[in-house]
Amino acid sequence: MRLPGRQKDLRESGKMSELYEKARPLAEKAVGFARDSILVNIRFLDVAMSALVPTPREGLMGVACDGRKLFYDPVFLLKKYTEEPAYVVRMYLHVLFHMIFSHSFRFGQVDRESWGLGADIAAEAAVMELEMPGTALFKDEEARKKLGYLQGEVRALTAEKLYRYLKNGEVSQKERGELCRLFSVDSHSFWEPSQELAVSAEEWKKLSQRIGADLKTFSAGKSKSESMEKSLLEAARDRYPYEELLKKFMVSNEDLQVNDEEFDYIYYTYGLSRYGNMPLVEPLEYKDSKKVKEFVIAIDTSASCRGALVRSFLQKTYALLSGEDNFFQKMNVHIIQCDHQVQKDTKITCREDLDAFLAHEKLVGFGSTDFRPVFAYVDELAGKGEFENLKGMVYFTDGYGVYPRKMPSYGVMFVFPDNGGGEPEVPPWAVRVLLDMEE
């Protein structure tokens, strides 16, 4: 005898709830055992683990995390535990590393499919490199071969580098499916941007910094977890929008435009009604604004800098500064090309000059890299009265060069493309910025 549809659904729902209640205490024990195993073997994860509360959740069909709670379906978890007892410990570490590496907090800024897969690979690479007892899975040998191949492609197995490879590389859907099979562990359904996640992002960043310091002690005398170290560096890095840093070079000055904020419409309309076409108060034609007036863009044209890379940087800088809210109508911007000596200086006085430079200018130089000639040249220009109140210089380079010892009177920002290598050192008086060329 067949049951009507609704009665059948209720019967199945009742069976699932009954199964859930039976599975819940056993699943809690399995999670507790996994937690104790991690604390015994990797003690420096204790604070991070205390920030994540395991929480059973019926009908989830997997595991997920929102930055505060580790959700799991008890029925699903026990099924996976029966198949591979090491799964629960491995899952716990995988989700924990997602949070430590701040993977969930950038989910709203990227292509989610590629970022989620890259984050899964990075988390699994870190777990496997730790070689903690009781975490090995049947697929690990195959996964290690794939990680070896990926490391040859991206150099560092961090979510950021893997994301770039997955998004811009020629990765087929078949290969993506294979990567998902080997490295996906949890659902990212709770990785949605929210106020709660924004609050906990700073907390997890502090935990990442602490874990990075503890990892050095833990790794003393052992093989280092390179993927974990690099992922921790990415998580702990301060990420300031390039446009916000450029605003540090703005100055206050009068700009030719109607100042609506200080305009009194009452007197204006009263004069028109009382005396015809004679308003009592004219609108102010000048407004105090904070914009970029004087600026130096230095471009490293040594052999290591490619034309396409420089053009991408200039287009981004132009896009940020070309709006009316950023530049005064009259500007004094010098674009200086330099390798081991100053090759060319192009003066920009209006947006049309900047458009012409981007459209027609060719880079010159391609020798070795020396940063000092640009600073000496700018000091020479300032001595001649070329600048009234120069606030800053942006020096774009992807190479290493000789820095001046003396701190200049203006702010300096060295901008490097983030190509996955080490971060170049800069003098203590300069700001170092790594630009994600994905931007």
Side-chain angles (χ1 to χ4, degrees), residues 42 44-45 93 97 100-101 121-132 135 144 147 151 155-158 211-234:
I42 314 176
F44 64 84
L45 292 179
L93 283 171
F97 283 168
I100 291 171
F101 298 156
I121 298 171
E124 284 294 277
V127 174
M128 293 171 70
E129 285 181 7
L130 282 177
E131 296 182 343
M132 175 184 149
T135 59
R144 281 194 174 90
L147 288 175
Q151 193 155 25
R155 294 200 289 177
L157 294 175
T158 65
I211 290 169
D214 291 343
L215 180 63
K216 295 178 181 179
T217 304
F218 176 80
S219 301
K222 304 179 182 179
S223 58
K224 292 186 177 181
S225 176
E226 183 180 351
S227 297
M228 187 172 184
E229 287 184 354
K230 291 185 176 180
S231 290
L232 284 169
L233 286 174
E234 288 285 355

mmCIF file of all heavy atoms in Angstrom, residues 42 44-45 93 97 100-101 121-132 135 144 147 151 155-158 211-234:
data_model
loop_
_atom_site.group_PDB
_atom_site.id
_atom_site.type_symbol
_atom_site.label_atom_id
_atom_site.label_comp_id
_atom_site.label_asym_id
_atom_site.label_seq_id
_atom_site.Cartn_x
_atom_site.Cartn_y
_atom_site.Cartn_z
ATOM 1 N N ILE A 42 49.406 19.039 18.210
ATOM 2 C CA ILE A 42 49.745 20.394 17.724
ATOM 3 C C ILE A 42 49.230 21.390 18.756
ATOM 4 O O ILE A 42 48.181 22.009 18.582
ATOM 5 C CB ILE A 42 49.130 20.670 16.337
ATOM 6 C CG1 ILE A 42 49.343 19.486 15.392
ATOM 7 C CG2 ILE A 42 49.740 21.930 15.720
ATOM 8 C CD1 ILE A 42 48.678 19.638 14.046
ATOM 9 N N PHE A 44 49.995 24.378 19.657
ATOM 10 C CA PHE A 44 49.858 25.818 19.397
ATOM 11 C C PHE A 44 48.534 26.174 18.718
ATOM 12 O O PHE A 44 48.242 27.353 18.507
ATOM 13 C CB PHE A 44 51.040 26.353 18.573
ATOM 14 C CG PHE A 44 51.156 25.765 17.186
ATOM 15 C CD1 PHE A 44 50.430 26.274 16.125
ATOM 16 C CD2 PHE A 44 52.020 24.707 16.953
ATOM 17 C CE1 PHE A 44 50.554 25.751 14.859
ATOM 18 C CE2 PHE A 44 52.157 24.176 15.682
ATOM 19 C CZ PHE A 44 51.423 24.694 14.631
ATOM 20 N N LEU A 45 47.719 25.167 18.388
ATOM 21 C CA LEU A 45 46.402 25.445 17.805
ATOM 22 C C LEU A 45 45.311 25.565 18.868
ATOM 23 O O LEU A 45 44.134 25.715 18.529
ATOM 24 C CB LEU A 45 46.021 24.338 16.815
ATOM 25 C CG LEU A 45 46.849 24.239 15.525
ATOM 26 C CD1 LEU A 45 46.356 23.075 14.680
ATOM 27 C CD2 LEU A 45 46.791 25.535 14.730
ATOM 28 N N LEU A 93 40.877 19.826 11.095
ATOM 29 C CA LEU A 93 42.053 20.626 10.735
ATOM 30 C C LEU A 93 41.801 21.438 9.465
ATOM 31 O O LEU A 93 42.200 22.610 9.374
ATOM 32 C CB LEU A 93 43.261 19.712 10.533
ATOM 33 C CG LEU A 93 43.942 19.195 11.799
ATOM 34 C CD1 LEU A 93 44.975 18.132 11.445
ATOM 35 C CD2 LEU A 93 44.608 20.335 12.565
ATOM 36 N N PHE A 97 42.045 25.453 9.422
ATOM 37 C CA PHE A 97 43.023 26.175 8.602
ATOM 38 C C PHE A 97 42.346 27.178 7.682
ATOM 39 O O PHE A 97 42.914 28.222 7.371
ATOM 40 C CB PHE A 97 43.877 25.188 7.803
ATOM 41 C CG PHE A 97 44.942 24.522 8.622
ATOM 42 C CD1 PHE A 97 45.635 23.434 8.140
ATOM 43 C CD2 PHE A 97 45.254 24.971 9.892
ATOM 44 C CE1 PHE A 97 46.620 22.813 8.886
ATOM 45 C CE2 PHE A 97 46.232 24.367 10.667
ATOM 46 C CZ PHE A 97 46.923 23.284 10.157
ATOM 47 N N ILE A 100 42.066 30.096 10.019
ATOM 48 C CA ILE A 100 43.384 30.653 10.366
ATOM 49 C C ILE A 100 43.978 31.400 9.185
ATOM 50 O O ILE A 100 44.615 32.444 9.348
ATOM 51 C CB ILE A 100 44.323 29.522 10.828
ATOM 52 C CG1 ILE A 100 43.859 28.954 12.179
ATOM 53 C CG2 ILE A 100 45.756 30.013 10.943
ATOM 54 C CD1 ILE A 100 44.590 27.708 12.614
ATOM 55 N N PHE A 101 43.764 30.880 7.972
ATOM 56 C CA PHE A 101 44.304 31.514 6.768
ATOM 57 C C PHE A 101 43.380 32.605 6.216
ATOM 58 O O PHE A 101 43.645 33.164 5.156
ATOM 59 C CB PHE A 101 44.536 30.467 5.668
ATOM 60 C CG PHE A 101 45.530 29.393 6.028
ATOM 61 C CD1 PHE A 101 45.482 28.162 5.407
ATOM 62 C CD2 PHE A 101 46.500 29.608 6.984
ATOM 63 C CE1 PHE A 101 46.384 27.160 5.726
ATOM 64 C CE2 PHE A 101 47.418 28.612 7.328
ATOM 65 C CZ PHE A 101 47.355 27.384 6.694
ATOM 66 N N ILE A 121 42.511 23.491 -1.597
ATOM 67 C CA ILE A 121 43.825 22.919 -1.908
ATOM 68 C C ILE A 121 44.877 23.428 -0.923
ATOM 69 O O ILE A 121 45.711 22.662 -0.421
ATOM 70 C CB ILE A 121 44.230 23.268 -3.359
ATOM 71 C CG1 ILE A 121 43.232 22.658 -4.351
ATOM 72 C CG2 ILE A 121 45.639 22.756 -3.654
ATOM 73 C CD1 ILE A 121 43.426 23.128 -5.778
ATOM 74 N N ALA A 122 44.842 24.728 -0.616
ATOM 75 C CA ALA A 122 45.808 25.307 0.315
ATOM 76 C C ALA A 122 45.668 24.700 1.714
ATOM 77 O O ALA A 122 46.666 24.399 2.384
ATOM 78 C CB ALA A 122 45.626 26.826 0.378
ATOM 79 N N ALA A 123 44.425 24.527 2.161
ATOM 80 C CA ALA A 123 44.191 23.952 3.491
ATOM 81 C C ALA A 123 44.681 22.512 3.557
ATOM 82 O O ALA A 123 45.350 22.104 4.519
ATOM 83 C CB ALA A 123 42.710 24.025 3.842
ATOM 84 N N GLU A 124 44.379 21.722 2.530
ATOM 85 C CA GLU A 124 44.815 20.330 2.509
ATOM 86 C C GLU A 124 46.333 20.215 2.408
ATOM 87 O O GLU A 124 46.943 19.330 3.022
ATOM 88 C CB GLU A 124 44.156 19.592 1.347
ATOM 89 C CG GLU A 124 42.696 19.240 1.580
ATOM 90 C CD GLU A 124 42.545 18.233 2.708
ATOM 91 O OE1 GLU A 124 42.700 17.029 2.467
ATOM 92 O OE2 GLU A 124 42.285 18.659 3.854
ATOM 93 N N ALA A 125 46.963 21.118 1.649
ATOM 94 C CA ALA A 125 48.428 21.093 1.540
ATOM 95 C C ALA A 125 49.076 21.325 2.905
ATOM 96 O O ALA A 125 50.043 20.653 3.280
ATOM 97 C CB ALA A 125 48.895 22.157 0.549
ATOM 98 N N ALA A 126 48.519 22.255 3.673
ATOM 99 C CA ALA A 126 49.058 22.550 5.003
ATOM 100 C C ALA A 126 48.862 21.371 5.954
ATOM 101 O O ALA A 126 49.766 21.012 6.714
ATOM 102 C CB ALA A 126 48.394 23.804 5.565
ATOM 103 N N VAL A 127 47.690 20.756 5.905
ATOM 104 C CA VAL A 127 47.408 19.613 6.778
ATOM 105 C C VAL A 127 48.354 18.460 6.469
ATOM 106 O O VAL A 127 48.944 17.841 7.369
ATOM 107 C CB VAL A 127 45.944 19.147 6.621
ATOM 108 C CG1 VAL A 127 45.713 17.864 7.421
ATOM 109 C CG2 VAL A 127 44.979 20.228 7.093
ATOM 110 N N MET A 128 48.555 18.170 5.203
ATOM 111 C CA MET A 128 49.383 17.036 4.809
ATOM 112 C C MET A 128 50.853 17.270 5.134
ATOM 113 O O MET A 128 51.573 16.336 5.496
ATOM 114 C CB MET A 128 49.184 16.747 3.323
ATOM 115 C CG MET A 128 47.784 16.235 2.991
ATOM 116 S SD MET A 128 47.433 16.123 1.228
ATOM 117 C CE MET A 128 48.497 14.756 0.768
ATOM 118 N N GLU A 129 51.314 18.521 5.023
ATOM 119 C CA GLU A 129 52.714 18.819 5.338
ATOM 120 C C GLU A 129 53.012 18.690 6.827
ATOM 121 O O GLU A 129 54.145 18.420 7.217
ATOM 122 C CB GLU A 129 53.072 20.219 4.834
ATOM 123 C CG GLU A 129 53.255 20.296 3.328
ATOM 124 C CD GLU A 129 53.629 21.689 2.856
ATOM 125 O OE1 GLU A 129 53.868 22.563 3.715
ATOM 126 O OE2 GLU A 129 53.684 21.899 1.633
ATOM 127 N N LEU A 130 52.006 18.885 7.684
ATOM 128 C CA LEU A 130 52.222 18.727 9.126
ATOM 129 C C LEU A 130 52.473 17.271 9.511
ATOM 130 O O LEU A 130 53.119 16.990 10.527
ATOM 131 C CB LEU A 130 51.004 19.251 9.900
ATOM 132 C CG LEU A 130 50.885 20.768 10.043
ATOM 133 C CD1 LEU A 130 49.589 21.116 10.757
ATOM 134 C CD2 LEU A 130 52.066 21.349 10.798
ATOM 135 N N GLU A 131 51.949 16.345 8.701
ATOM 136 C CA GLU A 131 52.139 14.907 8.927
ATOM 137 C C GLU A 131 51.753 14.496 10.349
ATOM 138 O O GLU A 131 52.451 13.740 11.020
ATOM 139 C CB GLU A 131 53.589 14.507 8.636
ATOM 140 C CG GLU A 131 53.979 14.717 7.180
ATOM 141 C CD GLU A 131 55.391 14.263 6.890
ATOM 142 O OE1 GLU A 131 56.174 14.097 7.848
ATOM 143 O OE2 GLU A 131 55.710 14.066 5.705
ATOM 144 N N MET A 132 50.627 14.997 10.820
ATOM 145 C CA MET A 132 50.144 14.626 12.139
ATOM 146 C C MET A 132 49.636 13.183 12.124
ATOM 147 O O MET A 132 48.919 12.783 11.203
ATOM 148 C CB MET A 132 49.014 15.571 12.555
ATOM 149 C CG MET A 132 48.362 15.201 13.878
ATOM 150 S SD MET A 132 46.960 16.263 14.269
ATOM 151 C CE MET A 132 45.930 15.114 15.193
ATOM 152 N N THR A 135 45.864 11.267 10.594
ATOM 153 C CA THR A 135 45.162 12.154 9.654
ATOM 154 C C THR A 135 45.240 11.662 8.211
ATOM 155 O O THR A 135 44.687 12.302 7.319
ATOM 156 C CB THR A 135 45.737 13.584 9.715
ATOM 157 O OG1 THR A 135 47.129 13.548 9.382
ATOM 158 C CG2 THR A 135 45.557 14.176 11.097
ATOM 159 N N ARG A 144 49.053 14.043 -3.122
ATOM 160 C CA ARG A 144 50.427 14.556 -3.050
ATOM 161 C C ARG A 144 51.038 14.730 -4.440
ATOM 162 O O ARG A 144 51.773 15.688 -4.692
ATOM 163 C CB ARG A 144 51.297 13.628 -2.207
ATOM 164 C CG ARG A 144 51.111 13.809 -0.709
ATOM 165 C CD ARG A 144 52.223 13.114 0.077
ATOM 166 N NE ARG A 144 52.091 13.421 1.495
ATOM 167 C CZ ARG A 144 51.378 12.708 2.354
ATOM 168 N NH1 ARG A 144 50.728 11.623 1.918
ATOM 169 N NH2 ARG A 144 51.304 13.042 3.615
ATOM 170 N N LEU A 147 49.605 17.867 -5.788
ATOM 171 C CA LEU A 147 50.196 19.038 -5.133
ATOM 172 C C LEU A 147 51.590 19.329 -5.682
ATOM 173 O O LEU A 147 51.977 20.490 -5.839
ATOM 174 C CB LEU A 147 50.263 18.823 -3.620
ATOM 175 C CG LEU A 147 48.939 18.874 -2.861
ATOM 176 C CD1 LEU A 147 49.145 18.520 -1.395
ATOM 177 C CD2 LEU A 147 48.288 20.251 -2.976
ATOM 178 N N GLN A 151 52.524 22.857 -7.337
ATOM 179 C CA GLN A 151 53.604 23.685 -6.795
ATOM 180 C C GLN A 151 54.554 24.124 -7.901
ATOM 181 O O GLN A 151 55.095 25.222 -7.869
ATOM 182 C CB GLN A 151 54.363 22.923 -5.719
ATOM 183 C CG GLN A 151 55.291 23.808 -4.901
ATOM 184 C CD GLN A 151 55.567 23.239 -3.529
ATOM 185 O OE1 GLN A 151 55.472 22.040 -3.306
ATOM 186 N NE2 GLN A 151 55.918 24.094 -2.587
ATOM 187 N N ARG A 155 54.297 27.857 -7.540
ATOM 188 C CA ARG A 155 55.419 28.070 -6.608
ATOM 189 C C ARG A 155 55.010 27.993 -5.145
ATOM 190 O O ARG A 155 55.627 27.305 -4.360
ATOM 191 C CB ARG A 155 56.137 29.399 -6.888
ATOM 192 C CG ARG A 155 56.830 29.418 -8.233
ATOM 193 C CD ARG A 155 57.891 30.468 -8.296
ATOM 194 N NE ARG A 155 57.354 31.806 -8.332
ATOM 195 C CZ ARG A 155 58.110 32.893 -8.335
ATOM 196 N NH1 ARG A 155 59.420 32.809 -8.258
ATOM 197 N NH2 ARG A 155 57.550 34.085 -8.388
ATOM 198 N N ALA A 156 53.984 28.712 -4.745
ATOM 199 C CA ALA A 156 53.541 28.694 -3.346
ATOM 200 C C ALA A 156 52.084 28.222 -3.294
ATOM 201 O O ALA A 156 51.228 28.774 -3.970
ATOM 202 C CB ALA A 156 53.664 30.080 -2.721
ATOM 203 N N LEU A 157 51.828 27.192 -2.480
ATOM 204 C CA LEU A 157 50.479 26.616 -2.415
ATOM 205 C C LEU A 157 49.610 27.394 -1.432
ATOM 206 O O LEU A 157 49.131 26.883 -0.428
ATOM 207 C CB LEU A 157 50.567 25.139 -2.008
ATOM 208 C CG LEU A 157 51.253 24.222 -3.026
ATOM 209 C CD1 LEU A 157 51.403 22.817 -2.466
ATOM 210 C CD2 LEU A 157 50.472 24.191 -4.344
ATOM 211 N N THR A 158 49.388 28.677 -1.736
ATOM 212 C CA THR A 158 48.475 29.503 -0.957
ATOM 213 C C THR A 158 47.196 29.702 -1.762
ATOM 214 O O THR A 158 47.189 29.554 -2.990
ATOM 215 C CB THR A 158 49.090 30.877 -0.642
ATOM 216 O OG1 THR A 158 49.280 31.605 -1.873
ATOM 217 C CG2 THR A 158 50.443 30.723 0.059
ATOM 218 N N ILE A 211 49.832 32.115 15.768
ATOM 219 C CA ILE A 211 50.158 30.773 15.298
ATOM 220 C C ILE A 211 51.425 30.790 14.451
ATOM 221 O O ILE A 211 52.245 29.870 14.518
ATOM 222 C CB ILE A 211 48.973 30.187 14.506
ATOM 223 C CG1 ILE A 211 47.817 29.885 15.471
ATOM 224 C CG2 ILE A 211 49.356 28.930 13.746
ATOM 225 C CD1 ILE A 211 46.519 29.544 14.785
ATOM 226 N N GLY A 212 51.603 31.847 13.661
ATOM 227 C CA GLY A 212 52.817 31.966 12.862
ATOM 228 C C GLY A 212 54.069 31.982 13.717
ATOM 229 O O GLY A 212 55.100 31.384 13.371
ATOM 230 N N ALA A 213 54.003 32.682 14.856
ATOM 231 C CA ALA A 213 55.149 32.710 15.775
ATOM 232 C C ALA A 213 55.343 31.351 16.444
ATOM 233 O O ALA A 213 56.478 30.857 16.576
ATOM 234 C CB ALA A 213 54.939 33.797 16.817
ATOM 235 N N ASP A 214 54.243 30.721 16.863
ATOM 236 C CA ASP A 214 54.332 29.414 17.536
ATOM 237 C C ASP A 214 54.802 28.322 16.588
ATOM 238 O O ASP A 214 55.443 27.353 17.014
ATOM 239 C CB ASP A 214 52.974 29.030 18.124
ATOM 240 C CG ASP A 214 52.574 29.921 19.292
ATOM 241 O OD1 ASP A 214 53.464 30.592 19.843
ATOM 242 O OD2 ASP A 214 51.378 29.945 19.642
ATOM 243 N N LEU A 215 54.484 28.458 15.302
ATOM 244 C CA LEU A 215 54.861 27.433 14.330
ATOM 245 C C LEU A 215 56.375 27.303 14.230
ATOM 246 O O LEU A 215 56.908 26.203 14.040
ATOM 247 C CB LEU A 215 54.270 27.770 12.958
ATOM 248 C CG LEU A 215 54.579 26.792 11.819
ATOM 249 C CD1 LEU A 215 53.982 25.425 12.121
ATOM 250 C CD2 LEU A 215 54.050 27.320 10.492
ATOM 251 N N LYS A 216 57.095 28.419 14.363
ATOM 252 C CA LYS A 216 58.560 28.371 14.284
ATOM 253 C C LYS A 216 59.143 27.522 15.411
ATOM 254 O O LYS A 216 60.083 26.761 15.223
ATOM 255 C CB LYS A 216 59.127 29.792 14.333
ATOM 256 C CG LYS A 216 58.733 30.637 13.137
ATOM 257 C CD LYS A 216 59.279 32.045 13.240
ATOM 258 C CE LYS A 216 58.846 32.888 12.051
ATOM 259 N NZ LYS A 216 59.348 34.279 12.147
ATOM 260 N N THR A 217 58.564 27.667 16.602
ATOM 261 C CA THR A 217 59.019 26.853 17.740
ATOM 262 C C THR A 217 58.655 25.395 17.530
ATOM 263 O O THR A 217 59.463 24.494 17.781
ATOM 264 C CB THR A 217 58.369 27.364 19.043
ATOM 265 O OG1 THR A 217 58.664 28.753 19.200
ATOM 266 C CG2 THR A 217 58.895 26.597 20.239
ATOM 267 N N PHE A 218 57.444 25.173 17.044
ATOM 268 C CA PHE A 218 56.967 23.808 16.817
ATOM 269 C C PHE A 218 57.797 23.098 15.758
ATOM 270 O O PHE A 218 58.069 21.896 15.862
ATOM 271 C CB PHE A 218 55.498 23.849 16.379
ATOM 272 C CG PHE A 218 54.930 22.509 16.026
ATOM 273 C CD1 PHE A 218 54.502 21.626 17.010
ATOM 274 C CD2 PHE A 218 54.804 22.124 14.689
ATOM 275 C CE1 PHE A 218 53.961 20.392 16.681
ATOM 276 C CE2 PHE A 218 54.268 20.884 14.354
ATOM 277 C CZ PHE A 218 53.856 20.022 15.356
ATOM 278 N N SER A 219 58.247 23.860 14.732
ATOM 279 C CA SER A 219 58.957 23.259 13.603
ATOM 280 C C SER A 219 60.445 23.107 13.855
ATOM 281 O O SER A 219 61.160 22.588 13.003
ATOM 282 C CB SER A 219 58.743 24.108 12.337
ATOM 283 O OG SER A 219 57.369 24.208 12.032
ATOM 284 N N ALA A 220 60.940 23.590 14.989
ATOM 285 C CA ALA A 220 62.372 23.507 15.268
ATOM 286 C C ALA A 220 62.822 22.047 15.262
ATOM 287 O O ALA A 220 62.303 21.214 15.991
ATOM 288 C CB ALA A 220 62.677 24.138 16.629
ATOM 289 N N GLY A 221 63.802 21.745 14.406
ATOM 290 C CA GLY A 221 64.306 20.384 14.330
ATOM 291 C C GLY A 221 63.446 19.459 13.501
ATOM 292 O O GLY A 221 63.746 18.281 13.363
ATOM 293 N N LYS A 222 62.327 19.979 12.929
ATOM 294 C CA LYS A 222 61.446 19.147 12.108
ATOM 295 C C LYS A 222 61.395 19.713 10.698
ATOM 296 O O LYS A 222 61.861 20.823 10.436
ATOM 297 C CB LYS A 222 60.030 19.123 12.702
ATOM 298 C CG LYS A 222 59.956 18.650 14.151
ATOM 299 C CD LYS A 222 58.511 18.706 14.634
ATOM 300 C CE LYS A 222 58.411 18.294 16.103
ATOM 301 N NZ LYS A 222 57.019 18.374 16.602
ATOM 302 N N SER A 223 60.832 18.942 9.803
ATOM 303 C CA SER A 223 60.613 19.463 8.461
ATOM 304 C C SER A 223 59.524 20.533 8.519
ATOM 305 O O SER A 223 58.481 20.337 9.134
ATOM 306 C CB SER A 223 60.175 18.331 7.511
ATOM 307 O OG SER A 223 59.013 17.716 7.988
ATOM 308 N N LYS A 224 59.779 21.665 7.892
ATOM 309 C CA LYS A 224 58.854 22.790 7.985
ATOM 310 C C LYS A 224 57.644 22.590 7.074
ATOM 311 O O LYS A 224 57.719 21.958 6.029
ATOM 312 C CB LYS A 224 59.568 24.093 7.606
ATOM 313 C CG LYS A 224 60.619 24.522 8.613
ATOM 314 C CD LYS A 224 61.168 25.885 8.246
ATOM 315 C CE LYS A 224 62.171 26.365 9.292
ATOM 316 N NZ LYS A 224 62.711 27.701 8.971
ATOM 317 N N SER A 225 56.519 23.147 7.498
ATOM 318 C CA SER A 225 55.324 23.172 6.670
ATOM 319 C C SER A 225 55.352 24.455 5.845
ATOM 320 O O SER A 225 54.876 25.503 6.280
ATOM 321 C CB SER A 225 54.066 23.103 7.536
ATOM 322 O OG SER A 225 52.914 23.230 6.726
ATOM 323 N N GLU A 226 55.933 24.374 4.658
ATOM 324 C CA GLU A 226 56.111 25.571 3.826
ATOM 325 C C GLU A 226 54.783 26.186 3.426
ATOM 326 O O GLU A 226 54.604 27.399 3.470
ATOM 327 C CB GLU A 226 56.926 25.204 2.583
ATOM 328 C CG GLU A 226 57.231 26.394 1.685
ATOM 329 C CD GLU A 226 58.031 25.998 0.463
ATOM 330 O OE1 GLU A 226 58.493 24.840 0.404
ATOM 331 O OE2 GLU A 226 58.175 26.842 -0.436
ATOM 332 N N SER A 227 53.816 25.349 3.055
ATOM 333 C CA SER A 227 52.510 25.857 2.640
ATOM 334 C C SER A 227 51.825 26.588 3.781
ATOM 335 O O SER A 227 51.204 27.641 3.585
ATOM 336 C CB SER A 227 51.628 24.707 2.152
ATOM 337 O OG SER A 227 52.175 24.097 1.012
ATOM 338 N N MET A 228 51.936 26.042 4.991
ATOM 339 C CA MET A 228 51.298 26.676 6.137
ATOM 340 C C MET A 228 51.955 28.020 6.448
ATOM 341 O O MET A 228 51.272 29.007 6.719
ATOM 342 C CB MET A 228 51.380 25.764 7.354
ATOM 343 C CG MET A 228 50.593 26.289 8.550
ATOM 344 S SD MET A 228 50.508 25.091 9.878
ATOM 345 C CE MET A 228 49.429 25.959 11.037
ATOM 346 N N GLU A 229 53.276 28.068 6.399
ATOM 347 C CA GLU A 229 53.982 29.323 6.683
ATOM 348 C C GLU A 229 53.580 30.417 5.694
ATOM 349 O O GLU A 229 53.316 31.554 6.087
ATOM 350 C CB GLU A 229 55.484 29.091 6.643
ATOM 351 C CG GLU A 229 56.028 28.311 7.838
ATOM 352 C CD GLU A 229 57.539 28.192 7.803
ATOM 353 O OE1 GLU A 229 58.142 28.611 6.794
ATOM 354 O OE2 GLU A 229 58.109 27.685 8.781
ATOM 355 N N LYS A 230 53.525 30.072 4.410
ATOM 356 C CA LYS A 230 53.194 31.075 3.397
ATOM 357 C C LYS A 230 51.729 31.488 3.476
ATOM 358 O O LYS A 230 51.396 32.661 3.258
ATOM 359 C CB LYS A 230 53.540 30.545 2.006
ATOM 360 C CG LYS A 230 55.045 30.425 1.789
ATOM 361 C CD LYS A 230 55.398 30.029 0.387
ATOM 362 C CE LYS A 230 56.908 30.030 0.195
ATOM 363 N NZ LYS A 230 57.315 29.640 -1.174
ATOM 364 N N SER A 231 50.856 30.536 3.800
ATOM 365 C CA SER A 231 49.440 30.878 3.958
ATOM 366 C C SER A 231 49.232 31.783 5.167
ATOM 367 O O SER A 231 48.398 32.697 5.142
ATOM 368 C CB SER A 231 48.593 29.607 4.102
ATOM 369 O OG SER A 231 48.546 28.895 2.888
ATOM 370 N N LEU A 232 49.995 31.537 6.230
ATOM 371 C CA LEU A 232 49.911 32.396 7.417
ATOM 372 C C LEU A 232 50.408 33.801 7.108
ATOM 373 O O LEU A 232 49.849 34.790 7.597
ATOM 374 C CB LEU A 232 50.720 31.791 8.561
ATOM 375 C CG LEU A 232 50.075 30.604 9.282
ATOM 376 C CD1 LEU A 232 51.081 29.938 10.209
ATOM 377 C CD2 LEU A 232 48.845 31.042 10.071
ATOM 378 N N LEU A 233 51.454 33.914 6.297
ATOM 379 C CA LEU A 233 51.945 35.235 5.906
ATOM 380 C C LEU A 233 50.885 35.986 5.110
ATOM 381 O O LEU A 233 50.695 37.189 5.286
ATOM 382 C CB LEU A 233 53.233 35.097 5.078
ATOM 383 C CG LEU A 233 54.499 34.713 5.844
ATOM 384 C CD1 LEU A 233 55.655 34.466 4.879
ATOM 385 C CD2 LEU A 233 54.877 35.805 6.844
ATOM 386 N N GLU A 234 50.200 35.281 4.213
ATOM 387 C CA GLU A 234 49.126 35.910 3.437
ATOM 388 C C GLU A 234 47.988 36.357 4.345
ATOM 389 O O GLU A 234 47.427 37.439 4.186
ATOM 390 C CB GLU A 234 48.587 34.925 2.389
ATOM 391 C CG GLU A 234 49.514 34.649 1.235
ATOM 392 C CD GLU A 234 49.571 35.792 0.239
ATOM 393 O OE1 GLU A 234 48.810 36.770 0.413
ATOM 394 O OE2 GLU A 234 50.373 35.714 -0.703
#
